[in-house]
């Protein structure tokens, strides 16, 4: 039998991510930048729910009724506007993601006087038709369903802001998720990268009797700005999630853009990214 690469272990238990996340749903609230450019930037939103060996411009995203996945196109934007969408990848993976897109990005990161001012070119999914047809506005959401963990295939649905969960429902979701993340931090302290910690958060939440894989009340876009019991520990080569009451947890500055200094900007993902970014 072929080894199932989706199988992982934590806290003495083993489970298949492919099976656990089949049909799971999560929310994305597109940023001002994405709505300005009529795109969807994967950033840190998808990775906890899919195969990390697939590069983000190779995801297969389907809108309702579509027989072919969304295509990608290249956009340029300052790192200061892109970094917030990638923070939950962690420092090293965030910068490797940018560096993997092009040699020009590598050079810009290496030579920029202030890294946050560096202009990056990245692949983004073309949402022009979808946003136009839906009448998409700032504050509206996408509900994303995991159709295939291994192949990173997802379906997208429009959710207008009028159907947003209530403040109480959002608070309840964050409380349950952070309860699980605190257990992740205790079980696997300073070991996993942030995307793995976020992924294990759903597993531990389910073990605690809180299945957060359906009816997502809060997007990672919102959670980044509303962490309460959890913080991003930023010292060292990479970042991890840690309990907020841990002593001496450094803060984050400039959306972590300036932490790019001293990073080699060499891609460690092992992919050949010199390919056509227009997927059909």
């Amino acid at each position: 039998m072929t080894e199932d690469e989706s199988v992982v272990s934590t806290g003495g238990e083993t489970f298949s991510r492919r099976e656990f996340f089949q049909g799971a749903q999560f929310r994305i609230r597109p940023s001002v930048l994405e709505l300005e450019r009529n795109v969807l930037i994967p950033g840190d939103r998808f990775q906890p729910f899919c195969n990390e060996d697939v590069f983000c411009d190779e995801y297969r995203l389907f809108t309702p009724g579509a027989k072919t996945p969304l295509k990608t196109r290249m956009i340029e934007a300052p790192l200061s506007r892109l970094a917030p969408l990638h923070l939950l990848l962690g420092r090293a993976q965030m910068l490797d993601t940018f560096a993997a897109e092009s040699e020009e990005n590598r050079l810009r990161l290496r030579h920029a006087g202030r890294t946050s001012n560096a202009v990056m070119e990245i692949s983004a999914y073309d949402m022009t038709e979808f946003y136009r047809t839906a009448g998409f506005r700032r504050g509206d959401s996408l509900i994303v369903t995991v159709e295939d963990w291994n192949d990173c295939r997802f379906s997208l649905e429009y959710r207008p802001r009028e159907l947003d969960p209530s403040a109480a429902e959002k608070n309840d979701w964050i409380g349950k998720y952070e309860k699980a993340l605190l257990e992740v931090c205790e079980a696997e302290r300073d070991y996993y990268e942030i995307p793995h910690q976020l992924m294990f958060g759903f597993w531990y939440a389910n073990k605690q009797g809180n299945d957060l894989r359906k009816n997502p009340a809060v997007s990672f876009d919102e959670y980044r700005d509303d962490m309460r019991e959890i913080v991003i520990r930023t010292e060292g080569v990479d970042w991890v999630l840690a309990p907020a009451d841990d002593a001496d947890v450094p803060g984050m500055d400039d959306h972590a853009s300036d932490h790019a200094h001293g990073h080699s900007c060499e891609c460690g993902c092992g992919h050949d990214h010199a390919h056509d970014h227009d997927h059909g």
Side-chain angles (χ1 to χ4, degrees), residues 82-188:
L82 293 171
L85 302 178
H86 295 80
L87 284 183
L88 296 180
L89 292 177
R91 172 181 178 269
Q93 190 173 342
M94 174 175 67
L95 293 173
D96 282 348
T97 296
F98 297 136
E101 288 281 7
S102 69
E103 181 62 24
E104 185 64 27
N105 280 359
R106 296 178 198 254
L107 295 174
R108 288 172 179 173
L109 286 169
R110 186 171 293 136
H111 299 300
R114 180 176 172 82
T115 308
S116 59
N117 294 331
V119 174
M120 297 287 100
E121 56 180 11
I122 65 167
S123 303
Y125 289 88
D126 190 346
M127 299 286 284
T128 304
E129 182 64 21
F130 183 87
Y131 287 159
R132 184 191 63 79
T133 301
F136 212 97
R137 305 155 297 168
R138 184 176 181 183
D140 291 347
S141 298
L142 297 167
I143 301 298
V144 185
T145 302
V146 180
E147 303 292 349
D148 190 303
W149 180 93
N150 191 63
D151 294 336
C152 298
R153 181 162 56 88
F154 303 91
S155 58
L156 309 180
E157 300 174 44
Y158 169 61
R159 191 65 54 86
R161 60 195 181 204
E162 288 81 6
L163 298 180
D164 261 13
S166 67
E169 289 170 322
K170 292 181 179 181
N171 286 333
D172 181 64
W173 192 96
I174 291 174
K176 290 174 179 177
Y177 191 49
E178 291 205 320
K179 179 183 177 183
L181 287 175
L182 288 170
E183 190 168 347
V184 173
C185 292
E186 181 62 30
E188 309 291 350

Side-chain angles (χ1 to χ4, degrees), residues 209-266:
N210 300 314
D211 191 348
L212 303 180
R213 293 171 293 176
K214 295 289 185 181
N215 303 313
V218 177
S219 66
F220 282 145
D221 309 284
E222 296 166 291
Y223 180 58
R224 282 190 301 261
D225 297 326
D226 201 11
M227 290 180 168
R228 301 168 187 180
E229 302 297 322
I230 295 290
V231 295
I232 302 176
R233 186 186 290 275
T234 60
E235 80 273 19
V237 174
D238 206 353
W239 305 334
V240 294
L241 301 180
D245 59 4
D246 273 10
D248 302 321
V249 176
M252 296 184 60
D253 56 290
D254 195 21
H255 289 303
S257 301
D258 290 336
H259 289 278
H261 290 298
H263 185 73
S264 68
C265 300
E266 296 298 326

Side-chain angles (χ1 to χ4, degrees), residues 13-123:
E13 296 189 60
T14 299
F15 68 98
S16 165
R17 291 173 288 174
R18 177 178 52 80
E19 295 176 2
F20 182 73
F21 285 111
Q22 179 64 37
Q25 294 182 319
F26 58 99
R27 181 183 295 267
I28 293 177
R29 204 176 294 275
S31 65
V32 173
L33 172 64
E34 291 168 296
L35 296 180
E36 288 174 353
R37 306 292 182 87
N38 288 311
V39 296
L40 177 64
I41 299 168
D44 55 26
R45 285 98 159 233
F46 290 82
Q47 194 168 116
F49 304 98
C50 68
N51 186 349
E52 66 268 24
D53 290 335
V54 178
F55 196 65
C56 59
D57 67 351
E58 297 170 340
Y59 297 164
R60 296 172 61 79
L61 309 185
F62 289 83
T63 55
K67 299 188 184 309
T68 57
L70 291 170
K71 295 182 178 181
T72 61
R73 56 184 169 90
M74 301 300 290
I75 66 166
E76 288 192 346
L79 183 58
S80 58
R81 298 193 74 187
L82 293 171
L85 302 178
H86 295 80
L87 284 183
L88 296 180
L89 292 177
R91 172 181 178 269
Q93 190 173 342
M94 174 175 67
L95 293 173
D96 282 348
T97 296
F98 297 136
E101 288 281 7
S102 69
E103 181 62 24
E104 185 64 27
N105 280 359
R106 296 178 198 254
L107 295 174
R108 288 172 179 173
L109 286 169
R110 186 171 293 136
H111 299 300
R114 180 176 172 82
T115 308
S116 59
N117 294 331
V119 174
M120 297 287 100
E121 56 180 11
I122 65 167
S123 303

